Amino acid sequence: MATVKVERTDDGGFVARNDRGAEVAIGGSDDDGVFSPVELLLAALGGCELVTVEPLTAQRGHRLASLAATVHAEKIEPTRLGTVSISYEVELPAGDDQAAEVFTSVVHRVHDRYCTVGRALKEQTPVELVLPAQDAATPQG
């Protein structure tokens, strides 16, 4: 189970917090120093893939010298993204002739089957709206 609470801050911004105390500031795409919601979606996808690829390649004895990904998407309509692309930047370990093959194999498996965020996007996971009960939504005064 994953839960994140997003709330408006006193300064009019927004912050997302998880149960472990981590937080990230959220704002509009023109706001400095914060992630927009779309950027967080892209970060979630890239992060999901990387945190899955890295240990799987290392477990197979091919610890990558460096690993990064750039995730890109353009809005094709005001509220709709086009194709999301993930570009990997990797430095293979020196003298490891099998690392490229292992990395490529792992990346494909992670992208196709193991990244929860990617699968949620590809499979159009349902999103349910739960509103507060009427008495909880009344103005306080």
Side-chain angles (χ1 to χ4, degrees):
M1 179 69 133
T3 302
V4 174
K5 182 175 185 175
V6 181
E7 61 186 336
R8 190 184 64 226
T9 59
D10 291 339
D11 64 2
F14 296 89
V15 65
R17 290 186 185 90
N18 66 16
D19 293 338
R20 297 177 310 281
E23 62 182 48
V24 62
I26 303 171
S29 59
D30 294 332
D31 295 338
D32 291 333
V34 297
F35 280 94
S36 73
V38 171
E39 290 166 335
L40 287 172
L41 177 72
L42 301 180
L45 178 59
C48 183
E49 289 212 4
L50 290 184
V51 302
T52 310
V53 166
E54 202 288 324
L56 290 177
T57 54
Q59 286 172 4
R60 286 160 178 73
H62 306 279
R63 176 95 167 119
L64 304 170
S66 68
L67 177 64
T70 300
V71 185
H72 175 81
E74 291 188 26
K75 284 191 173 183
I76 57 173
E77 294 177 14
T79 60
R80 187 166 171 240
L81 293 178
T83 301
V84 177
S85 64
I86 304 171
S87 302
Y88 275 85
E89 299 105 44
V90 62
E91 183 181 339
L92 301 171
D96 186 344
D97 297 336
Q98 296 176 329
E101 182 179 328
V102 170
F103 169 73
T104 301
S105 174
V106 167
V107 165
H108 282 289
R109 279 197 314 278
V110 167
H111 183 76
D112 292 341
R113 295 191 303 264
Y114 298 144
C115 173
T116 305
V117 175
R119 289 193 65 186
L121 291 170
K122 288 182 223 172
E123 296 173 8
Q124 300 178 3
T125 299
V127 178
E128 180 181 85
L129 177 63
V130 180
L131 295 174
Q134 280 301 97
D135 57 341
T138 58
Q140 297 182 12

